[in-house]
Amino acid sequence: MPPLQDVREIPEPGSHSDRPDPRKLAREFNAFTKPKSVRSFIELAITFVPYCVLFGLTLWAVYAGYYLALAMVPLAALFLLRLFIVQHDCGHGSFLKSSATSDWIGRIIGVLTLTPYACWRRNHALHHAGTGNLDARGHGDVDTLTVREFRELSPFRRVFYRLYRHPALLMIIGPAYLFLIQHRLPIGLMDQGRSYWVSAMATTVIAVSILAGLSALTSPMAVALVYLPTLIIAASLGVWLFYVQHQFEGAYWQNKPDWQFHDAALGGSTFLDLPAPMAWFTGNIGIHHIHHLASRVPFYRLPEVLKAHPEMQSFNRITALQSLRALNLALWDEDSGRMMTFREAAAVS
């Protein structure tokens, strides 16, 4: 596969370059942070209602023939993915002016996505605060080692890391584990207060109660045959989006004190240029370089920012096809300042 095209590196702080100044851009993007309440509720309605209808129709289709139901599952998964993007905006406080209303919408959607809202919101905030910081890894990230760190591992741990970074585990097994098992506990926040335990436990109890009620109306097997593949497809798509938004050849990584928030936000995030239908289903989250610089811009306003700043349309741009190559990137090379495959790292002296 040919190398990624149109992926540009962020200039070093203080360099004289005609490339975008992330601090200036962040100030300019603030003009787009005001949510439009009517538009927000419309976006919620045209996502939530179709998902519920599709889920109900798919349950009915199980009795008409599972292959018919199975054909409807991917579409239901796309709407569930879009609901997660709404939940994501609620967590950033960008969906509505009222943070209390946003939080309750986020909690409700969290039951559908099996994602405890308070836990996810906290971990995601830490992810934004430490993107590209080699000294702040481990919060909402795909675990990433440097070439030097990988070489210092024991043989067993090298094998473990290779397995962890295998695309099949990252994109299929990992998402299923994350949403079905790991999210049942406030992992990483267990000693951070009772609210995170309440969020995790309440999300699980309410979700199980809803699924139990649907099982009583239909059958446990029918619910499992519909809900599990819908959730796993949506989860896998979501993890793929998150992965390619930060794991690319020219991604920004630095140690303190060289790490800079604005440089990392822009230089460490891609513009995943998707076809219009997929951009809609993914809530424009592929415009991730803008999102990380101004996380309070509502997802439906990100295209406005991109249109107003045409220079951002080529910055760190990758396509869905080009993103496939990024799935093999696994290590950060501090000497060359880029992500590498295991094979490339082995060839580095």
Side-chain angles (χ1 to χ4, degrees):
M1 185 173 292
L4 300 181
Q5 301 294 319
D6 297 321
V7 178
R8 306 179 183 180
E9 296 180 359
I10 189 70
E12 291 297 322
S15 67
H16 298 284
S17 171
D18 60 355
R19 292 174 181 173
D21 175 356
R23 294 157 189 79
K24 179 174 181 291
L25 286 172
R27 293 191 295 269
E28 293 173 353
F29 294 168
N30 282 334
F32 299 88
T33 56
K34 185 178 180 180
K36 303 175 181 179
S37 297
V38 173
R39 173 72 182 273
S40 293
F41 280 112
I42 290 174
E43 294 289 348
L44 176 61
I46 62 177
T47 307
F48 178 75
V49 173
Y51 171 71
C52 292
V53 170
L54 277 167
F55 193 88
L57 288 174
T58 308
L59 276 176
W60 169 82
V62 169
Y63 296 97
Y66 185 58
Y67 291 114
L68 174 61
L70 199 62
M72 298 170 65
V73 162
L75 185 57
L78 287 172
F79 277 102
L80 183 60
L81 174 63
R82 198 169 196 268
L83 277 175
F84 186 86
I85 300 301
V86 174
Q87 178 184 348
H88 166 270
D89 267 29
C90 290
H92 280 294
S94 60
F95 192 64
L96 293 170
K97 296 176 184 178
S98 169
S99 59
T101 305
S102 289
D103 287 341
W104 275 109
I105 291 173
R107 293 184 185 105
I108 293 169
I109 295 176
V111 172
L112 300 178
T113 61
L114 283 186
T115 307
Y117 176 69
C119 302
W120 178 86
R121 180 179 58 183
R122 175 59 177 165
N123 277 318
H124 193 65
L126 292 172
H127 157 69
H128 269 258
T131 293
N133 188 339
L134 289 170
D135 297 315
R137 287 169 285 178
H139 295 288
D141 297 326
V142 175
D143 289 348
T144 303
L145 297 180
T146 66
V147 172
R148 176 184 55 79
E149 290 169 338
F150 179 72
R151 288 173 176 167
E152 292 174 353
L153 294 178
S154 66
F156 173 78
R157 294 186 66 187
R158 286 190 190 184
V159 171
F160 181 84
Y161 184 72
R162 280 180 173 271
L163 289 174
Y164 168 77
R165 296 290 303 211
H166 192 280
L169 194 147
L170 274 176
M171 299 299 146
I172 301 174
I173 300 173
Y177 167 79
L178 178 65
F179 284 86
L180 291 172
I181 299 175
Q182 183 172 316
H183 279 175
R184 308 286 60 80
L185 293 171
I187 302 297
L189 300 169
M190 290 185 174
D191 60 349
Q192 299 298 306
R194 184 176 60 182
S195 62
Y196 300 116
W197 283 94
V198 171
S199 178
M201 298 299 102
T203 299
T204 299
V205 168
I206 296 171
V208 169
S209 299
I210 292 173
L211 293 174
L214 290 173
S215 297
L217 292 173
T218 55
S219 73
M221 182 60 71
V223 172
L225 288 173
V226 172
Y227 184 69
L228 288 178
T230 300
L231 179 72
I232 291 172
I233 291 173
S236 293
L237 287 171
V239 169
W240 166 71
L241 282 169
F242 183 82
Y243 181 93
V244 300
Q245 286 160 358
H246 298 288
Q247 301 276 320
F248 61 104
E249 190 171 352
Y252 176 107
W253 286 98
Q254 288 287 348
N255 288 107
K256 293 180 179 179
D258 296 324
W259 178 86
Q260 297 291 331
F261 172 80
H262 291 91
D263 296 329
L266 182 59
S269 307
T270 60
F271 167 35
L272 179 59
D273 195 0
L274 295 172
M278 280 303 296
W280 188 87
F281 278 114
T282 57
N284 305 307
I285 201 62
I287 310 175
H288 213 63
H289 53 346
I290 291 175
H291 168 66
H292 260 260
L293 268 182
S295 61
R296 292 186 69 88
V297 175
F299 72 85
Y300 51 81
R301 299 199 69 181
L302 287 170
E304 292 181 47
V305 185
L306 198 62
K307 185 176 180 180
H309 294 269
E311 71 277 14
M312 302 302 293
Q313 296 177 21
S314 60
F315 192 89
N316 281 358
R317 175 185 175 273
I318 63 172
T319 64
L321 181 61
Q322 289 168 344
S323 75
L324 299 180
R325 180 178 181 270
L327 296 179
N328 292 318
L329 299 174
L331 297 165
W332 170 255
D333 182 47
E334 293 172 290
D335 293 329
S336 64
R338 66 185 183 91
M339 290 290 294
M340 288 184 169
T341 65
F342 286 115
R343 179 175 296 180
E344 289 170 334
V348 175
S349 60

